[in-house]
Amino acid sequence: MTAPYRKAAAMAAMPDRARLGPDSSEEINGASLFAGAVLMLSGPLSILMGVSGIAQDTLFSASSRYAYRFDLTTWGVIHLVVGVALVIAGLGVLTDKSWGRGAGAAAAGISLITQFMFVPYYPAWAIPMMTLDLMILFALTRFHVGTSGGH
């Protein structure tokens, strides 16, 4: 097996749009565009929720017998960090970076877990955010192989 053949076979086995070069006319697919847009919506909202928690806003309440009970400052910092991660991942997805889809899925997964833990504090916020996180995960983790043929 010659070296150029091996390289061509490896590239065909693992398609990577970043290798197509600057003259490529391929655009970001619809699912990635949706996921990037929702990441860019979810991130700033989480950042705002984090700022509310750090400022000790009266927006939150929870029973004293909740297993994941943290003080408001801790929840604020958690939401702030997760929100920044969501924004960075959203930028990566929208600019079609090779790390964007993985970072977006990881950030949405972490956000999903933290929102689940946050339900008793503000369910009207956490449940819709969990829905957004699930939609992001679905859009970013579905298997997609781009083909240039007419199939």
Side-chain angles (χ1 to χ4, degrees), residues 51-133:
V51 170
S52 294
I54 293 170
Q56 301 288 323
D57 198 353
T58 59
L59 190 63
F60 308 115
S61 66
S63 69
S64 61
R65 298 184 334 182
Y66 182 53
Y68 306 114
R69 184 157 176 80
F70 299 121
D71 65 343
L72 291 182
T73 303
T74 304
W75 274 118
V77 170
I78 289 170
H79 283 297
L80 187 66
V81 169
V82 170
V84 169
L86 290 168
V87 169
I88 291 170
L91 290 172
V93 170
L94 290 176
T95 57
D96 206 22
K97 300 294 182 191
S98 60
W99 52 266
R101 292 175 65 86
I110 292 169
S111 177
L112 178 64
I113 292 166
T114 58
Q115 293 298 339
F116 174 77
M117 293 169 60
F118 193 68
V119 167
Y121 290 90
Y122 195 7
W125 169 268
I127 293 170
M129 293 301 287
M130 288 170 44
T131 305
L132 288 178
D133 292 334

